[in-house]
Amino acid sequence: MAIPAPSSQREMRRRNLSRVLHAVAEAGQVSRAAVAARIGLTRASVSTLVEELLRAGFLVELGPGRSGGVGRPGNALALTDLGPCGLGAEIGVDHLTVCAVDLRGQVRARRTDEAPNRGEGPAAVLRRLGSLTERVTDDAGAAGLRPAGLAVAVPGLVTRSSTTVVHAPNLGWHNTDIAEHLPGPLRLTVDNEANFGALAELWQREPEDAPADFVHVSAEVGIGAAVVLDGQLLRGRRGFAGELGHVPVEPDGPDCACGGSGCLEQYAGEAAMLGAAGVEAHGAGGRSAALAELQARAERGDTAALAALRRAGRALGIALAAAVNLLDPRAVVLGGTLAGLAPWLLPSLDAELRRRTAAPGAVPELAVSAIGSAGPSLGAAHSVVRTVLSDPLPYAAAR
Amino acid sequence: MAIPAPSSQREMRRRNLSRVLHAVAEAGQVSRAAVAARIGLTRASVSTLVEELLRAGFLVELGPGRSGGVGRPGNALALTDLGPCGLGAEIGVDHLTVCAVDLRGQVRARRTDEAPNRGEGPAAVLRRLGSLTERVTDDAGAAGLRPAGLAVAVPGLVTRSSTTVVHAPNLGWHNTDIAEHLPGPLRLTVDNEANFGALAELWQREPEDAPADFVHVSAEVGIGAAVVLDGQLLRGRRGFAGELGHVPVEPDGPDCACGGSGCLEQYAGEAAMLGAAGVEAHGAGGRSAALAELQARAERGDTAALAALRRAGRALGIALAAAVNLLDPRAVVLGGTLAGLAPWLLPSLDAELRRRTAAPGAVPELAVSAIGSAGPSLGAAHSVVRTVLSDPLPYAAAR
């Protein structure tokens, strides 16, 4: 049986500091009284916690009369836009991106290095990522920010709570420990790009319209997905949950590199869609040019392009029917490459999903991500920020 | 952003009482000192909590020298085998079962009423369930137990945190509120039989070998499943998660009553297996006789029976490959009807699952449930017991 976590005075104070920070983060600007009401502590307790957070440099006071609440005006509190920030990186198949996000959730620096990473060894790629990270750290430093940690999104399977990429077929990396190649003082976390992309989706929305239960489909070269349930990412035993790309769609379909056959990737993966549409996948301009060409052909009604996208949509609908029947999420969100192709994918996707959802009543909301390709690096940076908000004191400024 | 739950002295005491009870429940018999070590509180704090739990009748002292631990011998503590108990009921297609489980987890009373429930209205069936529950309450009372609540397992979809069965096709019930037909003072909870069956599987195992992440496949007339992740049941937005029976296996396969086609139930459901094997499904003796006949034919090597089970196993492997790729569980457990047929299902199931699992490394452990058909009612009764252990004071004996 599970025994709940220890409760002690120290633990309670730590938790309450975090609750104050989260309440301020959610409100943007808020009075002490409103924080107290929101988290159910006395005004006096909140004042003590707030003083500590002001001294440690996590909160700032904006002066009287700006809190926007009712009752006696008090100095409005806000999170600092200086001090700790989160660094988020993405290792894509053909780019590296690093960004810095402050405690308020604002992107304060971002740099991208466009170059093919596929087939380059981890050492070379991570050396380039290291210098890109240094440059973004310098940019952030010039804005008064210091990194509290670095989170790296990779297009592959990452062992849960580790920095090891077990398998990233589109990079050609296997059992690569990112920490080994990225030395430095920063606390490092590594996760799948679909996971960080879904977290960006979760955290960028306003609290009131966040579907805290969704399957986020994220396609670049491969198809990945992340499952968010009750606001939490579902990771799986080893950290390998969300492999939507290998859900069987036609059990006797084309062989897949994973060892199976008829997997979703064989119908809705980038190569499969381009192939079925007759678009050259490896022409000049690479992936993005080929995808733009597919989209242009669909826009002008090219029969082969439309059929390829209809077939991909149908396959997505079948695989997502498995996910919806198993998970009963509130929404399905199409992200990555699929977001741009949604107008042509959605009709057949929706029809399959609708007729194959077993439970009566509405099928999940079908949404298209508005975040675009920055999702994984944004989600990664935000994950560091949330670590700080959840346990701030280790990140206080040295005095 | 999520704000952690309130922390107060009262809440802390409530949580600590529960932690003491869970520690005793896990150990069976244990000294105060061992409880203190286990939950990380001081000996003095634990003694105060234990006194309160002894006075309220949740714990008993077994006398000195029986704690089995090291150090100064103290009176061993155990949970009471009197006082509050959980009542668990199952509404099956052709039976009703009610059992009473004490705080120690022992079944102290059980009654079954064998009669067809399909097509009977909810009013008539629940009237019979009401009187069966009264008889088990009397049995429990004679043993010194008083019910703390009643949990009912049904073969259908139950809206999360409600007592409403939205859809139970094999009973012919739709939008049936169990509470309306089962009046009385007992706190009532209702859930899908696959969910309670999985919880029985989780709670009946020893803590050390419990796979706290598993997909539990539960087949009676239909096929259901429950997903347990990190020891928690995955319910889904509306409470409809786990509909493995309607995961697409062959998208262009036979039509299914759900509106889809080629669903798992069309290959591995009871009717599908019996039909493919050429066993009369509705002969004398009903379902259980037909299933016994299928098993007997498989045992004597009947070609049609073996082919039907091989086909069902393959379909299970394909649907479970979807589940495993999405969820990355530690184990898959076959329960209900499938447990008895496992010797003939497993070879083709295992082969499909193995080649279709995308992540490298071992596929999940494949296990066969040993609990048998009592799982749902047992899990239901245990769920009531755990409610008591998690917040005991409301269930203290009146004094």
Side-chain angles (χ1 to χ4, degrees):
Chain A
M1 293 187 189
I3 297 185
S7 302
S8 65
Q9 292 295 345
R10 192 168 50 84
E11 175 59 31
M12 217 161 94
R13 174 168 149 274
R14 209 168 68 97
R15 199 182 306 142
N16 284 334
L17 286 171
S18 165
R19 290 168 66 213
V20 171
L21 282 184
H22 275 104
V24 177
E26 210 167 297
Q29 299 185 10
V30 65
S31 69
R32 286 167 174 78
V35 170
R38 173 144 213 147
I39 65 180
L41 289 179
T42 64
R43 181 82 192 265
S45 308
V46 167
S47 285
T48 310
L49 295 162
V50 163
E51 288 316 310
E52 181 162 2
L53 292 166
L54 286 166
R55 272 199 311 276
F58 294 104
L59 292 181
V60 292
E61 284 188 294
L62 298 176
R66 295 175 56 191
S67 69
V70 293
R72 187 165 72 84
N75 284 353
L77 301 167
L79 290 170
T80 180
D81 60 355
L82 303 172
C85 69
L87 294 185
E90 183 184 8
I91 302 173
V93 173
D94 44 20
H95 72 100
L96 298 174
T97 298
V98 179
C99 68
V101 167
D102 67 20
L103 293 191
R104 294 181 181 175
Q106 301 304 310
V107 177
R108 302 287 295 281
R110 175 187 278 137
R111 284 178 184 266
T112 291
D113 173 353
E114 310 258 1
N117 298 319
R118 194 202 291 255
E120 304 291 308
V125 171
L126 292 170
R127 198 158 44 236
R128 286 186 12 251
L129 185 66
S131 32
L132 198 64
T133 304
E134 273 170 31
R135 282 152 63 203
V136 172
T137 300
D138 290 346
D139 298 345
L145 295 164
R146 54 175 195 284
L150 169 65
V152 180
V154 294
L157 297 168
V158 179
T159 301
R160 189 171 173 163
S161 306
S162 87
T163 53
T164 297
V165 180
V166 172
H167 185 57
N170 291 316
L171 291 174
W173 294 8
H174 303 280
N175 295 315
T176 301
D177 184 358
I178 303 277
E180 217 174 78
H181 300 281
L182 265 187
L186 285 179
R187 205 181 56 89
L188 179 69
T189 49
V190 179
D191 206 340
N192 182 270
E193 56 85 21
N195 284 352
F196 278 132
L199 290 174
E201 194 70 37
L202 178 67
W203 295 331
Q204 292 275 301
R205 296 199 172 196
E206 292 304 311
E208 56 269 27
D209 50 58
D213 296 75
F214 59 88
V215 175
H216 184 263
V217 187
S218 153
E220 298 295 336
V221 173
I223 292 181
V227 179
V228 174
L229 295 174
D230 283 336
Q232 299 294 314
L233 199 58
L234 187 159
R235 295 186 180 279
R237 189 72 190 175
R238 296 169 297 172
F240 301 164
E243 283 291 296
L244 187 73
H246 300 284
V247 164
V249 165
E250 297 269 6
D252 300 315
D255 285 349
C256 183
C258 76
S261 53
C263 300
L264 175 60
E265 249 175 46
Q266 298 303 314
Y267 302 88
E270 215 170 270
M273 289 193 292
L274 293 173
V279 176
E280 166 107 53
H282 301 291
R287 285 181 55 222
S288 53
L291 286 168
E293 174 63 20
L294 174 61
Q295 187 163 338
R297 289 193 195 181
E299 270 160 10
R300 63 173 187 260
D302 177 88
T303 315
L306 292 177
L309 292 170
R310 199 161 47 234
R311 176 171 171 266
R314 175 172 191 256
L316 279 161
I318 294 169
L320 285 168
V324 165
N325 283 326
L326 287 166
L327 302 168
D328 184 24
R330 181 167 133 189
V332 170
V333 182
L334 294 190
T337 302
L338 300 175
L341 300 171
W344 302 280
L345 296 169
L346 281 177
S348 54
L349 191 168
D350 185 52
E352 287 296 327
L353 188 55
R354 209 167 275 284
R355 82 183 187 91
R356 294 181 186 278
T357 300
V363 296
E365 175 197 342
L366 268 176
V368 177
S369 172
I371 295 183
S373 61
S377 56
L378 264 182
H382 272 281
S383 76
V384 176
V385 167
R386 294 179 74 90
T387 304
V388 176
L389 296 182
S390 295
D391 189 12
L393 295 187
Y395 303 96
R399 269 165 302 163
Chain B
M1 293 187 187
I3 297 186
S7 302
S8 65
Q9 293 294 341
R10 192 168 50 83
E11 176 58 31
M12 217 163 95
R13 173 169 149 273
R14 208 168 69 98
R15 198 181 308 143
N16 284 334
L17 287 171
S18 166
R19 291 167 65 212
V20 170
L21 282 185
H22 275 105
V24 177
E26 210 168 294
Q29 299 184 9
V30 65
S31 69
R32 285 168 175 77
V35 170
R38 173 145 212 145
I39 65 180
L41 289 179
T42 64
R43 181 81 192 266
S45 308
V46 167
S47 285
T48 310
L49 295 162
V50 163
E51 288 317 310
E52 181 162 1
L53 291 166
L54 285 166
R55 273 198 312 275
F58 295 103
L59 292 181
V60 293
E61 284 189 294
L62 298 176
R66 294 175 57 191
S67 69
V70 292
R72 188 163 70 84
N75 283 355
L77 301 166
L79 290 170
T80 180
D81 60 355
L82 302 172
C85 68
L87 294 185
E90 183 184 8
I91 303 172
V93 173
D94 44 20
H95 72 100
L96 298 174
T97 298
V98 179
C99 68
V101 167
D102 67 19
L103 292 193
R104 294 181 180 175
Q106 301 305 309
V107 177
R108 301 289 294 280
R110 174 187 277 137
R111 284 178 183 266
T112 291
D113 172 354
E114 308 259 2
N117 297 320
R118 195 202 289 256
E120 305 290 310
V125 171
L126 292 170
R127 198 158 44 235
R128 290 191 3 259
L129 184 66
S131 32
L132 198 64
T133 304
E134 274 170 30
R135 283 152 62 203
V136 172
T137 300
D138 290 346
D139 298 345
L145 295 164
R146 54 176 195 284
L150 168 65
V152 180
V154 295
L157 298 167
V158 178
T159 300
R160 189 170 174 164
S161 306
S162 87
T163 53
T164 297
V165 180
V166 171
H167 185 57
N170 291 316
L171 291 174
W173 294 8
H174 302 280
N175 296 315
T176 301
D177 184 359
I178 302 277
E180 217 174 78
H181 300 282
L182 265 187
L186 284 179
R187 203 181 58 90
L188 178 70
T189 49
V190 180
D191 207 340
N192 180 271
E193 56 86 20
N195 284 351
F196 278 133
L199 290 174
E201 194 69 37
L202 178 68
W203 295 331
Q204 292 274 302
R205 296 198 170 195
E206 293 303 312
E208 56 270 25
D209 49 58
D213 296 74
F214 60 88
V215 175
H216 184 262
V217 186
S218 153
E220 299 295 336
V221 173
I223 292 181
V227 178
V228 174
L229 294 174
D230 284 335
Q232 299 295 314
L233 200 57
L234 188 158
R235 295 187 180 278
R237 189 71 190 176
R238 295 169 297 173
F240 302 164
E243 283 291 297
L244 187 73
H246 301 283
V247 165
V249 165
E250 298 269 5
D252 300 314
D255 285 348
C256 183
C258 76
S261 53
C263 299
L264 175 61
E265 250 174 49
Q266 298 303 315
Y267 304 87
E270 214 171 272
M273 289 193 294
L274 293 173
V279 175
E280 166 110 53
H282 302 290
R287 285 180 55 221
S288 53
L291 286 168
E293 174 62 20
L294 174 61
Q295 187 164 338
R297 290 193 194 178
E299 270 161 9
R300 62 174 190 259
D302 177 88
T303 315
L306 293 177
L309 292 170
R310 200 161 47 234
R311 176 172 172 267
R314 175 173 190 256
L316 279 161
I318 294 169
L320 284 168
V324 166
N325 282 326
L326 288 166
L327 302 168
D328 184 25
R330 180 166 132 187
V332 170
V333 182
L334 294 190
T337 303
L338 300 175
L341 300 170
W344 302 281
L345 295 169
L346 282 178
S348 54
L349 191 167
D350 185 52
E352 288 295 327
L353 188 54
R354 208 168 275 284
R355 84 183 185 90
R356 295 181 187 278
T357 300
V363 295
E365 176 197 341
L366 269 175
V368 177
S369 172
I371 294 182
S373 60
S377 56
L378 264 182
H382 272 281
S383 75
V384 176
V385 167
R386 294 179 75 90
T387 305
V388 176
L389 296 181
S390 294
D391 189 13
L393 295 187
Y395 303 96
R399 267 167 301 165

